[in-house]
Amino acid sequence: MSQNPVFIPGPTNIPDRIRKACDIATIDHRSPRFARIFDPAIAGVKQILRTDAAEIILFPATGTAGWEAAIQNTLSPGDTVLAARHGMFSHRWIDLCQRHGLNVQIIEAPWGEGAPVAAFEAALADDKAERIKAVLVTHNETATGVKSDVAGVRRAMDRAQHGALLLVDGVSSIGSMEFRMDEWGVDIAVTGSQKGFMLPPGLAILGVSPKALKTMETAQMPRTFLDFTDMRESYAKGGYPYTPAVGLINGLAEACEMILDEGLENVIARHHRIAEGVRRAVFAWGLAPCAARPELYSDTVTAVVVPEGFDGTKVATLAAEKYDVALGVGLGEVAGRVFRIGHLGSLTDVMMLSGLATAEMAMVDLGFPITLGSGVAAAQDYYRNPMEAAKIAAE
Ligand SMILES: *Cc1c(COP(=O)(O)O)cnc(C)c1O
């Protein structure tokens, strides 16, 4: 049976080339053959994170384990970390820290806003004793479709002359949106295999700065499976402390090659173009994204706020049941108030049109005050000539 693409913000569609690369015969991961798979994957991830300085670490796990590894390897129980809560993923990271016995200094921000740079700066400037050991930023809040200004947070930390680590969740941005690990002074970047890298789930992918590696020497948090030290010692000998996800790592090398062949800039531009078409559709429906302002718009996921009296969850449920198309539901505080359109990974303008058309059918089926074709036409107009459309908008 033929299958529709998915329009959820992860897991994303897997290109055949990557699926085939994951499907390899068993090898002995303690033999030199492993390094021939591993080394190109690591080199590729470094380029995609735009880092020369960081070490790349891959766990057979998911993004959540990446968060856990970031805090276990750099912090001690009782340490203070600074975080904003403005969506389900920033909330879950805070929860994870609290369960690890960290003292989380939480700045509450509306869902639909990004990480509050000015509030971070004030908190850091206040913290003369440097109690705050790490600042946590969710680069792309997948629940609300909001992009945060990581470079701005770095500048705020520098202005406050604060030495905390900058830990960034880039799970739904890395490989799809601008991400500059070295330039932004990110100490740990966390992502997973099943979003921008277009792989099946199963790899936590981390970039770790020299400063974070140094902090590790004094961090007292218990860790075994996710210990960077064990991993680095094994990597140095061309191996792993346990069984690596060899097929996924081979797929990761292929994914990096695909991204770099297309050109990272082009991949980022494609995501922006596809996202902009989605946003034009949303406005043509008479609706709006959950993200409060244009500079917060995510290029990988749009949370569409549904009209008063309607249920966003039903849009996704009906699209799945009737049309066999996956859209995302709202999470946490915005459950029911939005449905989400994922537009990252292996997608084209034309594939996106089918997702928009399906969302329209589902909304019309549910009695939304929307005209069939209105959003699709707005996106078509944009995709026909994105440069022209941008120029008209600027005039
Ligand atoms: C998907 C996602 C996660 C969780 O990753 P898993 O791979 O599901 O563990 C964390 N943060 C963000 C921003 C995400 O989009």
Side-chain angles (χ1 to χ4, degrees):
M1 204 179 85
S2 299
Q3 201 191 316
N4 292 318
V6 297
F7 300 97
I8 48 177
T12 63
N13 301 296
I14 309 173
D16 283 348
R17 203 177 135 182
I18 293 180
R19 207 188 290 193
K20 284 182 186 140
C22 292
D23 181 11
I24 55 172
T26 304
I27 64 154
D28 175 5
H29 62 274
R30 302 193 191 280
S31 76
R33 296 180 73 165
F34 178 60
R36 291 204 289 275
I37 290 173
F38 185 67
D39 294 348
I42 296 297
V45 171
K46 278 186 97 148
Q47 286 192 60
I48 290 166
L49 291 179
R50 295 197 200 272
T51 181
D52 293 318
E55 284 191 25
I56 307 304
I57 297 184
L58 306 177
F59 292 108
T62 73
T64 304
W67 282 339
E68 192 151 326
I71 66 155
Q72 284 181 352
N73 284 278
T74 58
L75 299 165
S76 303
D79 278 354
T80 298
V81 300
L82 179 64
R85 174 159 37 215
H86 53 103
M88 198 61 189
F89 292 91
S90 43
H91 164 72
R92 284 183 48 210
W93 202 2
I94 289 168
D95 175 56
L96 184 142
C97 289
Q98 289 171 330
R99 294 200 215 179
H100 278 77
L102 295 171
N103 169 36
V104 189
Q105 189 171 327
I106 304 168
I107 297 173
E108 301 288 348
W111 289 39
E113 284 290 338
V117 174
F120 274 176
E121 184 168 349
L124 292 164
D126 260 358
D127 181 38
K128 296 283 180 257
E130 301 225 344
R131 271 182 332 110
I132 296 168
K133 300 298 180 208
V135 178
L136 316 186
V137 179
T138 302
H139 182 210
N140 190 71
E141 220 340 317
T142 318
T144 53
V146 163
K147 168 180 72 179
S148 281
D149 181 8
V150 178
V153 173
R154 164 48 66 196
R155 285 193 296 273
M157 292 172 74
D158 290 347
R159 277 194 301 269
Q161 297 186 331
H162 201 290
L165 295 171
L166 176 56
L167 310 184
V168 179
D169 172 348
V171 180
S172 61
S173 59
I174 289 170
S176 312
M177 285 161 54
E178 194 72 63
F179 189 89
R180 296 180 172 272
M181 179 158 187
D182 286 359
E183 199 180 308
W184 295 350
V186 173
D187 288 302
I188 299 188
V190 175
T191 187
S193 50
Q194 79 278 19
K195 300 198 181 175
F197 284 104
M198 306 169 283
L199 286 154
L203 286 179
I205 302 168
L206 291 99
V208 185
S209 77
K211 180 175 164 185
L213 290 173
K214 187 99 193 91
T215 314
M216 195 171 70
E217 291 165 14
T218 52
Q220 296 299 314
M221 197 85 79
R223 50 190 185 264
T224 46
F225 185 75
L226 300 174
D227 192 352
F228 290 166
T229 309
D230 291 353
M231 205 56 124
R232 294 175 77 216
E233 278 171 12
S234 299
Y235 282 0
K237 293 182 236 141
Y240 238 71
Y242 36 73
T243 314
V246 179
L248 285 172
I249 294 173
N250 197 52
L252 178 60
E254 191 72 21
C256 292
E257 202 178 305
M258 267 185 87
I259 291 170
L260 297 168
D261 279 355
E262 184 178 345
L264 191 47
E265 290 297 343
N266 296 331
V267 171
I268 292 166
R270 171 168 56 81
H271 279 81
H272 179 71
R273 187 183 65 243
I274 291 176
E276 188 55 32
V278 171
R279 291 188 282 263
R280 289 186 185 225
V282 170
F283 287 117
W285 293 330
L287 304 178
C290 178
R293 290 180 302 286
E295 72 264 26
L296 300 173
Y297 290 165
S298 161
D299 282 341
T300 61
V301 53
T302 300
V304 183
V305 179
V306 300
E308 206 63 51
F310 289 87
D311 181 355
T313 304
K314 287 192 177 149
V315 178
T317 308
L318 190 134
E321 284 173 0
K322 186 167 172 191
Y323 303 111
D324 193 25
V325 166
L327 298 169
V329 297
L331 304 172
E333 219 172 85
V334 292
R337 277 187 44 220
V338 305
F339 70 92
R340 293 179 301 153
I341 303 175
H343 35 81
L344 77 161
S346 179
L347 282 179
T348 64
D349 300 3
V350 168
M351 287 161 86
M352 197 63 244
L353 289 171
S354 71
L356 294 171
T358 311
E360 273 180 2
M361 291 193 287
M363 286 190 287
V364 169
D365 289 344
L366 291 164
F368 280 53
I370 277 166
T371 309
L372 272 185
S374 57
V376 170
Q380 284 172 319
D381 238 1
Y382 179 72
Y383 294 148
R384 281 176 59 232
N385 205 339
M387 295 303 222
E388 200 56 36
K391 223 163 43 199
I392 293 165
E395 278 164 16

